[in-house]
Amino acid sequence: MHPLAEKVQQALNALGYSGKVQELPVSTRTALEAAQALNCEIGQIVKSLVFIFSGNHQPILLLVSGKNRVDEVKVGFVLGDEIRKATAQEVQQITGFPIGGVPPIGHLQILPVILDEDLLHFEIVWAAAGTPNSIFPISPTLLRDITHSRVMSVK
């Protein structure tokens, strides 16, 4: 297993999660690629997106359904500060993972997390596990619990 995928598996294990990270022979870098590889709905794919608050420049992680696009103005308004999407370099520095493989857990620093309420409509969702072809299944309620997420609409 790739060292980054192994790091995610260890973080999951430490949180009491019994599922296994899967490394696929095809890319799961985008929500569409992941849904095609897993033969599931695009909405079941969890996009782990890092944003930066304008005021204090602190990062925040949004776990977003693969079918949704984040309304940055709406989310910023609800959170009380404008947000912008982090650059690829910022994502790597903040999480320790490359874009296309950012998992919802195991980052270099603890991040506040928002969970897209649309993910709760599924029994199982799939999240990135450190690399552009590693992924793991999880119930959205367990994902919410292990990430200590605030649930809200992001679209």
Side-chain angles (χ1 to χ4, degrees):
M1 186 178 295
H2 188 281
L4 289 176
E6 182 61 37
K7 178 181 177 184
V8 173
Q9 183 68 66
Q10 290 172 1
L12 288 166
N13 293 348
L15 292 166
Y17 175 73
S18 60
K20 298 292 179 206
V21 167
Q22 300 173 26
E23 290 184 307
L24 302 179
V26 295
S27 175
T28 57
R29 187 174 194 278
T30 68
L32 180 59
E33 288 174 340
Q36 290 172 340
L38 297 163
N39 196 28
C40 70
E41 292 182 46
I42 195 166
Q44 289 179 266
I45 304 303
V46 179
K47 298 188 290 189
S48 296
L49 305 174
V50 178
F51 286 82
I52 307 290
F53 284 108
S54 296
N56 62 12
H57 307 289
Q58 293 300 305
I60 184 169
L61 179 68
L62 275 64
L63 303 178
V64 180
S65 172
K67 67 179 180 175
N68 292 343
R69 184 174 176 92
V70 174
D71 181 336
E72 293 176 34
V73 173
K74 174 186 172 182
V75 172
F77 178 78
V78 171
L79 297 177
D81 191 4
E82 292 180 2
I83 60 171
R84 67 166 176 84
K85 200 166 193 180
T87 66
Q89 182 179 6
E90 288 171 324
V91 170
Q92 181 79 40
Q93 290 172 340
I94 292 164
T95 68
F97 297 96
I99 287 179
V102 177
I105 49 96
H107 306 133
L108 295 175
Q109 57 184 280
I110 296 172
L111 301 172
V113 182
I114 301 295
L115 182 82
D116 181 349
E117 66 185 10
D118 287 350
L119 290 169
L120 296 173
H121 298 250
F122 298 100
E123 187 175 322
I124 294 292
V125 295
W126 295 84
T131 72
N133 71 322
S134 58
I135 199 159
F136 67 94
I138 191 167
S139 77
T141 54
L142 181 57
L143 180 61
R144 177 198 63 210
D145 293 348
I146 68 172
T147 59
H148 307 287
S149 300
R150 173 179 172 181
V151 177
M152 65 181 272
S153 172
V154 299
K155 59 182 183 181

